[in-house]
Amino acid sequence: MKNISTILSVLSLVLVGVLFFLFFNHQEDVKKRRAENDALRKANAGVTIAYFEMDSLENNLSFVKDAMEKFKTKESQMNTQLNGMKSNFQKKIAEWNQRGQSMSQAENENAQREYAQMNEKFAGEKQKLEMELQDMQFKMAQEMNKKIEDYLKSYNKDKDYSYIMTSQPGLIYYKDTVHNITRDLISGLNAEYQASQKK
């Protein structure tokens, strides 16, 4: 009976020791986490982030509207050119169909070769024009990004934002509209563009 009581006393002492250890160890973790959070808060003090709505910019900037007009004109010219080619090919095909049975085997083989060449020529021209359109679209996007980036550098000289980013669906889940600079960008970039058009 004496042994059991001694064992229980020792076990109690060990458990108390383990509890003290866990308690003080947890306190150290809490202190460490608090210190890390305080350091993070201090590091982020003074960090301000502004944002702008890219779709609003694209819909309201004069140079984007002008660029889109040029793009649509180019696309329309491309379609006119391709439709003209298609129309000429269809006339040739109608001519072959009209001659139909009266064509010799040599003429028929020649027509098939010419038809294959027409298809190849049309596909090649279409691919070339589509690549020109893609290139034009890529250059327009690059130019727009460059204009925005250059403008933001001068805009931010007296604003002191740490970061300025664009807001797009699925990218930012919360935003304080106090830091929305979309209107400033639209008016500033449009004024800059209009001034450049007068030169």
Side-chain angles (χ1 to χ4, degrees):
M1 197 70 157
K2 213 173 182 186
N3 274 347
I4 292 176
S5 115
T6 306
I7 290 171
L8 287 175
S9 295
V10 170
L11 193 59
S12 296
L13 274 172
V14 169
L15 285 174
V16 168
V18 168
L19 287 173
F20 269 114
F21 172 77
L22 289 174
F23 175 77
F24 286 113
N25 198 25
H26 176 71
Q27 292 300 321
E28 287 300 314
D29 283 349
V30 168
K31 283 179 189 175
K32 188 177 174 186
R33 252 185 264 122
R34 279 189 187 142
E36 286 170 356
N37 287 341
D38 288 345
L40 191 61
R41 263 196 293 282
K42 283 177 187 170
N44 288 334
V47 173
T48 51
I49 299 172
Y51 72 93
F52 60 93
E53 305 284 354
M54 183 57 95
D55 57 347
S56 295
L57 235 60
E58 289 171 348
N59 292 332
N60 292 289
L61 291 177
S62 301
F63 69 83
V64 173
K65 289 177 183 176
D66 289 351
M68 285 308 295
E69 282 303 311
K70 287 177 189 169
F71 182 80
K72 285 176 185 171
T73 300
K74 176 81 175 168
E75 190 176 35
S76 177
Q77 289 168 348
M78 179 191 102
N79 287 332
T80 301
Q81 186 177 339
L82 290 175
N83 287 336
M85 281 179 79
K86 199 184 282 186
S87 178
N88 288 337
F89 293 160
Q90 285 171 341
K91 282 179 192 170
K92 193 75 173 165
I93 292 166
E95 188 183 303
W96 289 330
N97 285 336
Q98 204 169 32
R99 288 182 58 204
Q101 299 293 329
S102 65
M103 288 173 73
S104 69
Q105 186 176 345
E107 287 174 323
N108 204 355
E109 287 171 2
N110 192 34
Q112 285 176 5
R113 264 194 309 277
E114 198 175 334
Y115 178 76
Q117 288 170 351
M118 286 186 329
N119 276 336
E120 196 177 308
K121 185 178 178 183
F122 182 80
E125 191 64 22
K126 185 177 183 198
Q127 185 179 15
K128 184 189 100 169
L129 292 170
E130 283 174 348
M131 283 174 70
E132 283 177 20
L133 270 182
Q134 285 176 0
D135 188 50
M136 185 180 186
Q137 198 170 27
F138 177 72
K139 284 178 180 168
M140 283 166 42
Q142 275 188 319
E143 187 182 345
M144 181 182 76
N145 288 338
K146 178 87 172 99
K147 282 180 189 274
I148 293 170
E149 189 179 334
D150 290 345
Y151 182 78
L152 284 173
K153 284 176 188 170
S154 61
Y155 172 84
N156 198 40
K157 280 181 184 170
D158 62 341
K159 304 288 184 201
D160 292 324
Y161 289 116
S162 304
Y163 300 94
I164 299 175
M165 54 185 55
T166 181
S167 173
Q168 294 174 340
L171 184 63
I172 297 176
Y173 293 97
Y174 174 79
K175 51 195 175 192
D176 185 344
T177 55
V178 169
H179 300 290
N180 184 349
I181 60 169
T182 308
R183 283 186 184 159
D184 291 351
L185 291 187
I186 291 169
S187 61
L189 283 163
N190 280 339
E192 205 174 74
Y193 179 67
Q194 286 161 3
S196 74
Q197 295 301 299
K198 291 177 184 174
K199 291 179 183 176

